[in-house]
Amino acid sequence: MGLASMRIMTLKQIAKTLNSSLPEVEGVVKGFCVDSRLTKKNEVFVALRGEHVDGHAYLNEVKQKGALAAIVDQNYQGPVFGMHLFRTENPLLALQMLAQKCLEKTSRVVAVTGSIGKTTTKEFIKTLLEQRYVTAASQGNSNSQVGLPLTVLNHTTGTEDILVLEMGMTEPGQLSTLVNIAHPEVSVLTTAALVHACRFETLKDIALTKAEIFSHSHTRLGVVDREIEAYETIAQIGGCKKISFSTVSSSADYHLETVNEEVRLKTEGQSISLGKICLPGRHNLHNLLAAIAVARYFELTWNEIKQAIPFLKLPERRLQFVQKGGIHFLNDSYNASELSIKSALETLPNATGKGYKIAVLGSMMELGHFSDECHQRVGEFALNYVDKMYCLGAECLPIVEVWKKANRPVELFMERSELISSLKKNLKPSDVVLLKGSRSKELWKILEEL
């Protein structure tokens, strides 16, 4: 099952949890919302202050859309617009507190984080556990300080056996906050890489911050990539037992290897054949291995795991093959990092006939001082995998320089519209094209606009 309808909650229950004033009229809440544009009837609007927008300025709008009440800053002095206002010291903390209250004495929680692969791993864990348990998982990548509590409040019922929750971070302390909202019994760290790296000095700093996922006293098991930076240090963080997984190191507790298309898993003193697994990208075997380790903790049999594997699906815009006008696209445009671009390039199939292998790459964003070196390494790696290169964004200049030095065909664009005009002129049937870039570059729109 996916995430179902929300938990039943009343205004009086909210007031009690937040130690706020009781509403004059009782009402059953149909959901929580932080975006006035998406507010629906009988929802509670949470007025958050961001860098550019203050939710308190939209109270009239959400009332017109039927909002039942709003959670506001205690210092708000404006009109109430006929709504009950829960005045709190911090509306975001209030939202998180409500989610934490909902999870008391209910489902067991699996938390998943990592620089790459957390959404896919979360979906794989859910698919495996559904063989035996009533399971729900975060929608999409709702993994932030706002997204996770909204997922809990709006999309869980409290009747699930297990919740699989994705947890993300861009700076130290954020994962500690999330595990204190949803106390994980099992925590998974898929990997650490140079993603959202602008607030960190080293890859080790990123890895150690990701390890906050193991910090809660309730956590019984940590599942961690054996190849992660500072593995030995991370294995000691938190009080939980750690097990490792790897498609590289045979010393890991869970190790996968592929021989003549047969995937074999070695663990617990056994060698188990999983047969042929039709998942594009070797990194997805890495994600599957983490999911299997979680499934074994919850006592799934090898037979149950094997039965679930054919039902594994990749999330949207991850290694999706699309054919358009005789051109073969590999749409992996959801997001980008150095490691994920390299994996996608390795996955890109050969062209047939007179077709070319082509990479259309958007900038990797939020890399800080790592940006130039990451783009340069991607450019050098791509020389061995594609015939032509198209780049979008100024951050891609090191890729362009590498390709020009090698006398290879490359173009750089600042606007997607200009990129699309060039692609329309130059792409031909039988070409094989990779679309890959940071989400802000919206490279998936190329498929709509070509």
Side-chain angles (χ1 to χ4, degrees), residues 17-223:
T17 299
L18 300 182
N19 195 25
S20 184
S21 60
L22 288 171
E24 294 181 5
V25 180
E26 182 58 295
V28 177
V29 176
K30 297 296 184 183
F32 291 81
C33 190
V34 298
D35 187 336
S36 61
R37 297 166 297 181
L38 304 177
T39 302
K40 299 184 180 71
K41 188 177 181 180
N42 292 328
E43 289 189 334
V44 171
F45 178 70
V46 185
L48 301 179
R49 287 196 172 100
E51 285 185 33
H52 307 293
V53 177
D54 184 351
H56 295 82
Y58 297 90
L59 294 179
N60 187 34
E61 179 183 334
V62 299
K63 174 58 179 175
Q64 297 303 317
K65 292 183 175 181
L68 200 58
I71 299 174
V72 301
D73 189 283
Q74 61 188 7
N75 295 320
Y76 171 71
Q77 299 297 324
V80 300
F81 300 108
M83 284 188 296
H84 181 76
L85 301 185
F86 296 103
R87 298 181 183 274
T88 66
E89 190 173 330
N90 184 321
L92 174 58
L93 291 181
L95 177 69
Q96 295 172 345
M97 190 185 305
L98 289 167
Q100 183 185 44
K101 182 70 175 177
C102 278
L103 291 175
E104 285 181 357
K105 301 176 182 177
T106 57
S107 312
R108 303 164 81 180
V109 172
V110 177
V112 184
T113 197
S115 301
I116 305 168
K118 53 184 174 288
T119 303
T120 301
T121 302
K122 172 205 68 182
E123 293 298 327
F124 286 1
I125 292 170
K126 171 178 169 285
T127 299
L128 297 186
L129 293 181
E130 283 176 331
Q131 289 291 304
R132 183 180 293 197
Y133 299 99
V134 178
T135 308
S138 311
Q139 287 192 326
N141 68 325
S142 299
N143 61 30
S144 68
Q145 306 290 294
V146 175
L148 182 136
L150 285 177
T151 283
V152 171
L153 292 167
N154 289 340
H155 301 292
T156 69
T157 64
T159 61
E160 302 89 355
D161 297 320
I162 301 172
L163 295 180
V164 188
L165 299 177
E166 183 176 330
M167 297 185 180
M169 73 88 183
T170 56
E171 60 186 48
Q174 291 182 338
L175 284 173
S176 294
T177 297
L178 295 179
V179 297
N180 279 316
I181 295 169
H183 308 161
E185 182 175 342
V186 178
S187 288
V188 180
L189 175 47
T190 61
T191 191
L194 295 175
V195 180
H196 300 302
C198 52
R199 291 185 174 91
F200 297 92
E201 289 300 316
T202 66
L203 179 58
K204 181 178 179 180
D205 292 338
I206 295 173
L208 294 177
T209 302
K210 294 283 184 189
E212 289 177 14
I213 197 84
F214 303 127
S215 63
H216 199 275
S217 61
H218 183 81
T219 305
R220 296 288 170 263
L221 178 68
V223 179

Side-chain angles (χ1 to χ4, degrees), residues 301-328:
T301 65
W302 290 114
N303 205 37
E304 287 174 316
I305 291 169
K306 291 177 187 178
Q307 287 174 353
I309 286 175
F311 297 98
L312 297 173
K313 293 181 180 179
L314 296 180
E316 190 178 13
R317 300 198 292 270
R318 272 85 157 186
L319 294 181
Q320 293 181 328
F321 288 96
V322 179
Q323 188 167 329
K324 191 162 185 167
I327 302 166
H328 304 276

Side-chain angles (χ1 to χ4, degrees), residues 333-402:
S333 59
Y334 174 77
N335 217 335
S337 67
E338 179 185 344
L339 291 182
S340 66
I341 292 177
K342 288 178 176 178
S343 294
L345 287 166
E346 289 176 327
T347 305
L348 192 66
N350 291 322
T352 58
K354 296 182 179 180
Y356 289 99
K357 289 180 74 174
I358 298 167
V360 179
L361 302 183
S363 302
M364 296 178 282
M365 306 302 290
E366 297 184 54
L367 289 179
H369 66 88
F370 299 107
S371 183
D372 284 354
E373 61 185 89
C374 287
H375 285 90
Q376 180 180 334
R377 287 195 293 264
V378 163
E380 292 167 348
F381 188 86
L383 288 170
N384 296 318
Y385 287 91
V386 290
D387 305 306
K388 299 180 180 181
M389 174 73 71
Y390 295 82
C391 295
L392 177 62
E395 294 82 3
C396 290
L397 186 58
I399 297 176
V400 176
E401 291 173 345
V402 166

